[in-house]
Amino acid sequence: MGLERVVAAVDAANALDPIKSDSEGGTVAHSVLYGHRMSEVLAKFMPDACEHLRIAAGAQHIERWLIPRESYPEGRTAYLTWRKELQKLHARRTGELMRAEGYAERDIDRVSALLRKERLKYDADVQALEDVICLVFLLYEAPDFIAKHDDEKVRDILAKTARKMSARGLAAAAKLDLDARLARLLGEALAEG
């Protein structure tokens, strides 16, 4: 089936990531690990997710290392420009892999729209992808992040994360098994606004 072949092709592309991470199975390319986490969280969050959303979740960071953050200047404007360029890269590369597996252009266009976050807050699948991104952040990335920052900075980041999420995503976040400090700061961030 096309889905399994595209997922395998995304994994093969991401296996070239020079950044490695430790996982239960040993050391793995960080982008592969991230894609698997996205797929696993999506499967729990939305078990009936459509094929387009399943592809987009796994390909969310495809070949992300090709455009390092350090290649852009400091500051919010440069950061947002970097993020847009990454979205374009992810959409283009995923489209190439889908095309190679015989997907129709309308399917490629749909996955590309998801990866570019088009119509966030208005498109249910785009919003679901954003919710999953935020849930993966809370589960896997926030613990290391909060260890490096004071409570005020963490609350600010968590409040920004929460604003991107739907009510369904926030309800799922509330059920996560988070460490005590992260759970407390998330609760405070949500209470603030």
Side-chain angles (χ1 to χ4, degrees):
M1 172 155 220
L3 175 62
E4 286 78 20
R5 288 194 303 269
V6 168
V7 168
V10 168
D11 280 352
N14 279 338
L16 301 175
D17 186 348
I19 301 166
K20 305 300 178 199
S21 293
D22 293 327
S23 74
E24 293 173 7
T27 302
V28 65
H30 180 74
S31 295
V32 170
L33 181 61
Y34 182 82
H36 289 184
R37 287 174 171 170
M38 286 288 296
S39 295
E40 289 166 11
V41 171
L42 175 65
K44 291 176 186 168
F45 180 70
M46 186 182 278
D48 59 343
C50 68
E51 188 167 337
H52 299 132
L53 187 50
R54 291 168 63 194
I55 292 170
Q60 169 63 21
H61 280 179
I62 187 170
E63 298 180 348
R64 184 182 182 102
W65 71 91
L66 294 176
I67 306 177
R69 173 64 181 100
E70 300 77 38
S71 64
Y72 287 77
E74 291 298 316
R76 181 148 176 81
T77 301
Y79 171 76
L80 294 174
T81 302
W82 171 68
R83 293 283 303 269
K84 284 293 177 197
E85 289 305 312
L86 283 172
Q87 289 173 355
K88 291 176 191 174
L89 168 68
H90 303 325
R92 181 181 53 77
R93 282 297 290 133
T94 305
E96 290 169 0
L97 297 176
M98 290 177 70
R99 199 169 285 111
E101 293 303 330
Y103 277 87
E105 286 303 313
R106 70 180 174 280
D107 296 315
I108 294 167
D109 290 346
R110 179 63 179 146
V111 171
S112 294
L114 292 170
L115 289 168
R116 288 191 304 265
K117 312 295 184 302
E118 293 176 4
R119 302 187 69 244
L120 181 63
K121 298 285 185 188
Y122 300 101
D123 181 312
D125 287 340
V126 175
Q127 184 59 58
L129 181 61
E130 188 66 31
D131 286 338
V132 170
I133 292 164
C134 293
L135 292 168
V136 167
F137 169 73
L138 290 169
L139 280 168
Y140 299 106
E141 297 165 359
D144 287 340
F145 173 81
I146 72 167
K148 300 173 191 167
H149 300 284
D150 64 28
D151 285 3
E152 184 177 343
K153 173 74 172 176
V154 173
R155 266 192 303 274
D156 180 57
I157 294 299
L158 293 175
K160 288 176 181 172
T161 299
R163 282 194 294 275
K164 297 178 190 177
M165 299 178 80
S166 68
R168 180 180 178 186
L170 290 170
K175 296 176 186 172
L176 296 176
D177 184 21
L178 304 175
D179 76 46
R181 181 174 178 233
L182 180 55
R184 174 179 58 82
L185 293 172
L186 179 60
E188 291 171 5
L190 294 174
E192 289 175 8

